[in-house]
Amino acid sequence: MNIEQLKKHWDEWFGSSSEQIFERERDNFLKLKEELLHNQAYLNKYVAIINGKVADSDNDESVLVERVYKRYGYIPLYIGKVTQEQAISARIGEE
């Protein structure tokens, strides 16, 4: 099965589109944010949220993305920076 066939069947197999998963993980990040702000391990770092949990973190967003995709494969996720500032969301990749 090639990547296009995989994308076509994603919703059928997993019940959610990658966009819905991204939105859910963004919501999870926002729920976790207050807790993360009080944890020095994550403060001012980028965190990758997968299945509602912090999967990894790094000071460099691109390094984090590369490491997470290498570890988990190209799956929908959310990456946010743990700061007091309001975040601007952007979706990476194509559907």
Side-chain angles (χ1 to χ4, degrees):
M1 177 174 291
N2 67 32
I3 192 71
E4 291 306 315
Q5 290 170 319
L6 182 62
K7 286 180 183 179
K8 181 179 177 183
H9 295 289
W10 181 272
D11 292 351
E12 178 184 321
W13 294 338
F14 298 107
S16 296
S17 70
S18 58
E19 185 171 329
Q20 289 170 320
I21 295 170
F22 171 82
E23 295 293 331
R24 184 178 67 224
E25 298 299 15
R26 184 187 65 193
D27 291 345
N28 288 327
F29 170 76
L30 294 174
K31 289 175 189 171
L32 292 169
K33 189 173 180 181
E34 192 63 35
E35 179 183 332
L36 297 174
L37 284 167
H38 295 289
N39 186 330
Q40 291 297 315
Y42 300 123
L43 189 59
N44 295 315
K45 290 187 177 183
Y46 292 94
V47 294
I49 305 295
I50 299 173
N51 294 324
K53 297 178 182 164
V54 175
D56 201 350
S57 66
D58 203 288
N59 290 319
D60 186 315
E61 184 178 20
S62 60
V63 169
L64 176 61
V65 170
E66 185 176 328
R67 189 170 58 234
V68 169
Y69 282 155
K70 185 178 278 189
R71 185 178 302 151
Y72 297 97
Y74 190 73
I75 61 170
L77 55 93
Y78 181 80
I79 298 208
K81 189 166 186 180
V82 181
T83 67
Q84 291 287 351
E85 299 169 12
Q86 183 70 9
I88 297 173
S89 296
R91 199 150 171 258
I92 300 172
E94 56 185 79
E95 192 146 345

